[in-house]
Amino acid sequence: MTEAKNPLAEVRERIDSIDRQIQELISERARWAQEVARVKGEGLSAIDYYRPEREAHVLRMVVDRNKGPLSDAEMVRLFREIMSSCLAQEEPLKVGYLGPEGTFSEQAVRKHFGHAAYGLPLGSIEEVFQEVAAGHADFGVVPVENSGQGMIQVTLDMFLTSDARICGEVELRVHQCLHSQSGRLEDIKRVYAHAQSLQQCKTWLRVNLPDAERIAVGSNAEAARLARHADDAGAIAGETAGKVYGLKTVAKAIEDRADNTTRFLVIGRSLFPPSGNDRTSLLITVNDKPGALYDVLSPFARHGVSMNRIESRPAHTGKWQYAFFIDVSGHIDDEPLQAALRDMGPVATQVRVLGSYPVALP
Amino acid sequence: MTEAKNPLAEVRERIDSIDRQIQELISERARWAQEVARVKGEGLSAIDYYRPEREAHVLRMVVDRNKGPLSDAEMVRLFREIMSSCLAQEEPLKVGYLGPEGTFSEQAVRKHFGHAAYGLPLGSIEEVFQEVAAGHADFGVVPVENSGQGMIQVTLDMFLTSDARICGEVELRVHQCLHSQSGRLEDIKRVYAHAQSLQQCKTWLRVNLPDAERIAVGSNAEAARLARHADDAGAIAGETAGKVYGLKTVAKAIEDRADNTTRFLVIGRSLFPPSGNDRTSLLITVNDKPGALYDVLSPFARHGVSMNRIESRPAHTGKWQYAFFIDVSGHIDDEPLQAALRDMGPVATQVRVLGSYPVALP
């Protein structure tokens, strides 16, 4: 007895066959990951064979190959999780971050290490550095820059006194919107948001809602929830949150700087080899005399090394010294960067390589 | 010029080739998922073609096929994420839960729906039911049972007055351990833990640490963190948390009931077809007269339908009526269950099918 198949059943058979193949391949991949552990020595924890440069390389190939329909970010996310599972077969990575659970910092941990790693919510950025230094955590994830508010000083200052190495960076992008029940600006007498979001949008609020009360709440999700039940309240939250809570969007991208990215650093105890597309963070200390900054920077220009960021801090080492945090393109093993650092020798009192690490993926 | 490859490079080449195949297959799977949407009608949101019974069937095949080295739970997790990404190509599912972010309830959402779904943290279990009923959320996830403390009454009571349907169940298993710096029971003068964990372990604490002060803190991770920095404090937390925070385990499985599972229900607005291994939740109202309960239950026995749970609640509908929440094995479409319900007709004042849904996966 034959029966005409419905098109849905046929599609599902195709998907079943694809799933069977995917599963065989993931299992095979997991076996080869065990082989990596065996080649490097039996009975090791994940930290012994985790290679950030290798992961970045793999994920970059994933992006290069991706032709959709899934977005690059979604495909990268799936491969992160597959790698995370393969790596966690022995002893998973332990990753410290600024807790509690559910924060932006935990999102950054999961984006970078996947969900098979152990997350350690800690009480402060200082504690993240301490736990990594003491070996209680294999890696730490700390916020270092918010494009609305600039560098996060407490993180930079930790590098002045700790031996932490930077092994990676993670970027989370969030556009802040103003949402409300009616979607009309003139109805809004109160604005709910997380304190940081209120801060990030203060110019827009001053100009457009000078008389509205600003109320800091635990999270932007909480803000959106409160705004749903009030006809005179607005909430600052991401585009998704507004949609999810069924609010109308009053205004988009209201943050003071339009490109609202939070950047996190992955800190560890070692330097890693090049991944092919790297960034290097340097801590350079100079005596405070005229022309010192120029003398420090000119070797980069001379050797064609492009600078991405620079931030100066009073050094802890001496009263008249300044420390510069400088991010440049390339790996510390690259010849132009080596040459620039050689030229800098006589000028700088200290040059410390904080880390060379893969540029953040989508 | 040929060069002897090092074994690591060879393994990595194999892994690269596997990754290429996995990626092609995931992309193909995503295209077929679009095809499902097309077959069912263009421009639909995920809710229109999300089929819990189909997902459960797919995941059960994953478990059946799994020969390691990844655990069943880990392989299921990866397939959940792949399905989550494929499903979220149009409009992702919106899933309400008892917030804030980072709680056990969010873990249940992610375990069931993966990370491509939108999570809506809400303020109360009641609100989860309301948002689902109003269509603001496609599904909700609510705790219904903790094996240490029994059924969660507020959730059961919501079914008395709402039209919510049960579309799935999720189980999270946690063994509570007592950890400390020294690992010696006699050093412990204070015990930190989340209030719920203190509650779950109260018998053990009364017997083994009658004089220790019990201090409720925000989470068990917080408890473990506090215990690390004190030589006279213990923390109740999962085995993993103790390991992660570098504590020694004083005692394992100290919860009053050894099988400490929290069970969540997935609620929605529709009933779904059988997945092949289902459970059915019934709400049966009877007049309070002698033998009523027996009369209600005997049809199940007669037709060979096995009961998993029963819980009685005063019904909201009438003063002398009782409502029974009964979970039985099988789907409501199964003939034995149909027969049992037919037999029950004259006895029960009301029989409501709360839902037939796939039994929880690992």
Side-chain angles (χ1 to χ4, degrees), chain B residues 50-65:
Chain B
Y50 172 72
R51 302 301 295 246
E53 79 282 8
R54 163 77 182 153
E55 284 214 355
H57 180 68
V58 167
L59 294 175
R60 241 175 258 138
M61 288 193 292
V62 166
V63 171
D64 288 346
R65 284 192 298 250

Side-chain angles (χ1 to χ4, degrees), chain B residues 28-80:
Chain B
E28 200 185 330
R29 191 190 203 287
R31 280 191 294 272
W32 282 112
Q34 289 182 328
E35 186 60 29
V36 172
R38 230 183 321 267
V39 167
K40 296 203 171 191
E42 204 86 41
L44 299 170
S45 327
I47 179 68
D48 299 312
Y49 53 95
Y50 172 72
R51 302 301 295 246
E53 79 282 8
R54 163 77 182 153
E55 284 214 355
H57 180 68
V58 167
L59 294 175
R60 241 175 258 138
M61 288 193 292
V62 166
V63 171
D64 288 346
R65 284 192 298 250
N66 193 36
K67 296 198 172 54
L70 295 186
S71 67
D72 289 351
E74 206 55 21
M75 191 59 95
V76 163
R77 186 179 82 77
L78 292 176
F79 270 88
R80 284 261 191 226

Side-chain angles (χ1 to χ4, degrees), chain A residues 40-62:
Chain A
K40 295 203 171 191
E42 204 85 44
L44 298 171
S45 325
I47 178 68
D48 299 312
Y49 53 95
Y50 171 71
R51 302 301 294 247
E53 80 282 8
R54 163 77 182 152
E55 284 214 355
H57 179 68
V58 168
L59 294 175
R60 242 175 259 136
M61 290 193 292
V62 166

Side-chain angles (χ1 to χ4, degrees), chain A residues 7-8 11-12 14-16 18-23 25-36 39-40 51 54 58 61-63 65-66 68-70 74-75 77-79 81-82 84-86 89 91 94 101-102 115-116 118-123 127 131 136 219 221 225 228-229 240 243-245, chain B residues 7-8 11-12 14-16 18-23 25-36 39-40 51 54 58 61-63 65-66 68-70 74-75 77-79 81-82 84-86 89 91 94 101-102 115-116 118-123 127 131 136 219 221 225 228-229 240 243-245:
Chain A
L8 201 57
V11 170
R12 285 182 172 167
R14 298 260 186 178
I15 289 177
D16 288 346
I18 292 170
D19 283 350
R20 225 172 1 249
Q21 297 171 66
I22 292 176
Q23 184 169 359
L25 288 162
I26 290 176
S27 295
E28 201 185 330
R29 193 191 200 286
R31 281 191 294 272
W32 283 113
Q34 289 182 327
E35 186 60 29
V36 172
V39 167
K40 295 203 171 191
R51 302 301 294 247
R54 163 77 182 152
V58 168
M61 290 193 292
V62 166
V63 171
R65 283 192 298 251
N66 193 37
L70 295 187
E74 207 54 22
M75 191 59 96
R77 185 178 83 77
L78 293 177
F79 270 88
E81 294 297 345
I82 292 170
S84 185
S85 292
C86 289
Q89 292 183 81
E91 181 74 12
K94 294 190 273 185
E101 291 99 329
H115 285 77
Y118 287 158
L120 284 83
L122 297 167
E127 210 179 334
E131 297 300 283
H136 298 141
S219 70
R225 218 157 53 72
R228 296 194 44 184
H229 300 297
T240 307
K243 200 183 284 180
V244 158
Y245 283 92
Chain B
L8 201 57
V11 171
R12 286 182 173 169
R14 299 259 186 179
I15 290 177
D16 288 347
I18 292 169
D19 283 350
R20 225 174 357 252
Q21 297 171 65
I22 292 175
Q23 185 168 0
L25 288 162
I26 291 176
S27 295
E28 200 185 330
R29 191 190 203 287
R31 280 191 294 272
W32 282 112
Q34 289 182 328
E35 186 60 29
V36 172
V39 167
K40 296 203 171 191
R51 302 301 295 246
R54 163 77 182 153
V58 167
M61 288 193 292
V62 166
V63 171
R65 284 192 298 250
N66 193 36
L70 295 186
E74 206 55 21
M75 191 59 95
R77 186 179 82 77
L78 292 176
F79 270 88
E81 293 298 344
I82 291 170
S84 185
S85 293
C86 289
Q89 292 182 81
E91 183 72 13
K94 294 190 273 185
E101 291 100 329
H115 285 77
Y118 287 158
L120 283 83
L122 297 167
E127 210 179 334
E131 296 300 283
H136 298 142
S219 70
R225 219 158 53 72
R228 296 193 44 184
H229 299 296
T240 307
K243 202 184 283 181
V244 157
Y245 283 92

Side-chain angles (χ1 to χ4, degrees), chain A residues 134-349:
Chain A
H136 298 141
D138 297 321
F139 294 98
V141 170
V142 288
V144 68
E145 193 180 356
N146 181 298
S147 54
Q149 296 163 283
M151 302 298 274
I152 293 162
Q153 303 302 347
V154 56
T155 298
L156 293 185
D157 286 349
M158 284 307 299
F159 285 107
L160 297 175
T161 53
S162 99
D163 290 328
R165 301 295 197 153
I166 304 172
C167 314
E169 59 172 2
V170 191
E171 289 182 354
L172 294 182
R173 190 156 306 193
V174 186
H175 277 303
Q176 306 282 20
C177 302
L178 182 69
H179 308 282
S180 77
Q181 244 186 34
S182 71
R184 283 192 305 265
L185 188 64
E186 58 272 26
D187 294 341
I188 297 174
K189 305 284 171 271
R190 291 170 289 148
V191 175
Y192 293 108
H194 187 269
Q196 206 177 32
S197 299
L198 287 174
Q199 174 70 18
Q200 282 165 9
C201 303
K202 66 175 183 233
T203 307
W204 192 94
L205 291 172
R206 196 170 50 229
V207 171
N208 295 282
L209 284 169
D211 301 322
E213 189 186 357
R214 294 170 206 175
I215 304 165
V217 293
S219 70
N220 288 348
E222 168 82 3
R225 218 157 53 72
L226 290 166
R228 296 194 44 184
H229 300 297
D231 48 19
D232 62 347
I236 298 176
E239 210 166 342
T240 307
K243 200 183 284 180
V244 158
Y245 283 92
L247 293 168
K248 291 189 182 133
T249 302
V250 181
K252 284 188 187 184
I254 64 168
E255 61 269 12
D256 296 350
R257 288 198 34 174
D259 175 30
N260 199 10
T261 304
T262 302
R263 182 170 168 252
F264 296 84
L265 295 178
V266 179
I267 58 168
R269 294 179 296 271
S270 336
L271 293 176
F272 290 94
S275 77
N277 181 15
D278 299 281
R279 200 191 303 290
T280 295
S281 292
L282 302 164
L283 175 58
I284 298 176
T285 317
V286 296
N287 286 318
D288 183 28
K289 55 169 193 185
L293 179 57
Y294 176 81
D295 291 345
V296 161
L297 300 187
S298 53
F300 292 123
R302 203 154 54 237
H303 294 282
V305 174
S306 79
M307 281 197 299
N308 310 112
R309 282 180 193 79
I310 179 162
E311 177 92 8
S312 66
R313 303 288 297 153
H316 290 192
T317 43
K319 209 175 174 183
W320 301 107
Q321 290 199 326
Y322 276 81
F324 294 97
F325 287 94
I326 299 177
D327 285 358
V328 297
S329 293
H331 193 275
I332 189 66
D333 290 354
D334 296 351
E335 182 42 37
L337 185 47
Q338 290 276 336
L341 293 186
R342 273 195 303 270
D343 283 12
M344 206 174 294
V347 188
T349 52

